[in-house]
Amino acid sequence: MMVEEIVLLDEADEVAGRAPKAASHHRHTPYHLAFSCFLVDPRGRVLITRRALGKRTFPGVWTGSCCGHPAPGEGLRAAVRRRLATELGATAESVTPVLPAFRYRATAADGVVENERCPVVRAITSGPITPNPDEVETAEWWTWDRCLELAERPDSSPWYRLQMAQLAPLGAPLDWPDAGTDALPPALPW
């Protein structure tokens, strides 16, 4: 079985190395590459998920549709499509960068730290969703107003709250503008 690796970054967001994903998330998690995806249906609803209770980091929190780590050399679109399939059994008809420069650091109740350059994308789907129970406890299609309310709740993930502060001014998810790829980190091809 292959060990999943993450891309380590320097402060210029250039590749600084690679490391095993599982062993890298702890109290001193190194700065690394990730992404967040908001899956939107043609009606403008967003798939909101509750992370599986067995997840090593931030188990049981409510958050966007899926998150992941691009593998070394993997482009953002390919990584998003891979994680959508793995976590949600979903396919994306389109993937659009909406917050390409997003970065955050958060500490879980157990002391585990997330320290990520985490571009945020919107993916559109009209296909079925089949959540993987190892990844997702619950997955529900929510209205945008309900998504905004979740950002005020303490059981939402810290990255969700930070992302929503930047997404809310953009309006409804189907109206989010394409932010382009210029602000993506140099380490992450589109």
Side-chain angles (χ1 to χ4, degrees):
M1 185 166 116
M2 280 186 51
V3 173
E4 188 175 355
E5 291 187 315
I6 59 172
V7 177
L8 304 177
L9 299 175
D10 63 21
E11 284 303 312
D13 292 328
E14 298 279 1
V15 175
R18 57 202 296 170
K21 177 183 145 186
S24 297
H25 287 78
H26 44 68
R27 291 181 184 273
H28 305 287
T29 301
Y31 181 46
H32 63 278
L33 196 54
F35 70 85
S36 286
C37 175
F38 286 80
L39 191 62
V40 181
D41 74 6
R43 294 172 43 194
R45 298 178 306 168
V46 178
L47 189 74
I48 296 296
T49 61
R50 183 171 182 232
R51 291 169 62 87
L53 300 177
K55 296 282 275 184
R56 176 150 165 32
T57 58
F58 293 90
V61 300
W62 288 91
T63 194
S65 307
C66 83
C67 302
H69 299 85
E74 184 179 34
L76 179 56
R77 279 182 299 195
V80 168
R81 290 179 190 281
R82 174 178 54 82
R83 287 305 297 171
L84 284 171
T86 300
E87 288 189 27
L88 300 168
T91 58
E93 295 157 19
S94 67
V95 178
T96 305
V98 291
L99 299 176
F102 185 77
R103 178 180 177 172
Y104 79 99
R105 188 176 195 287
T107 305
D110 65 359
V112 173
V113 171
E114 282 288 10
N115 184 16
E116 299 179 337
R117 175 66 188 271
C118 184
V120 178
V121 302
R122 174 193 59 214
I124 306 289
T125 190
S126 57
I129 304 298
T130 310
N132 176 345
D134 292 335
E135 300 285 344
V136 177
E137 183 73 18
T138 306
E140 301 173 352
W141 290 105
W142 286 15
T143 65
W144 183 234
D145 286 342
R146 191 169 175 205
C147 293
L148 293 169
E149 291 168 4
L150 176 60
E152 303 301 319
R153 293 179 17 197
D155 58 341
S156 63
S157 73
W159 61 88
Y160 179 85
R161 293 189 298 269
L162 293 167
Q163 291 165 358
M164 290 300 286
Q166 295 181 42
L167 292 171
L170 300 179
L174 290 175
D175 297 331
W176 292 344
D178 183 337
T181 59
D182 290 348
L184 288 175
L188 183 59
W190 175 235

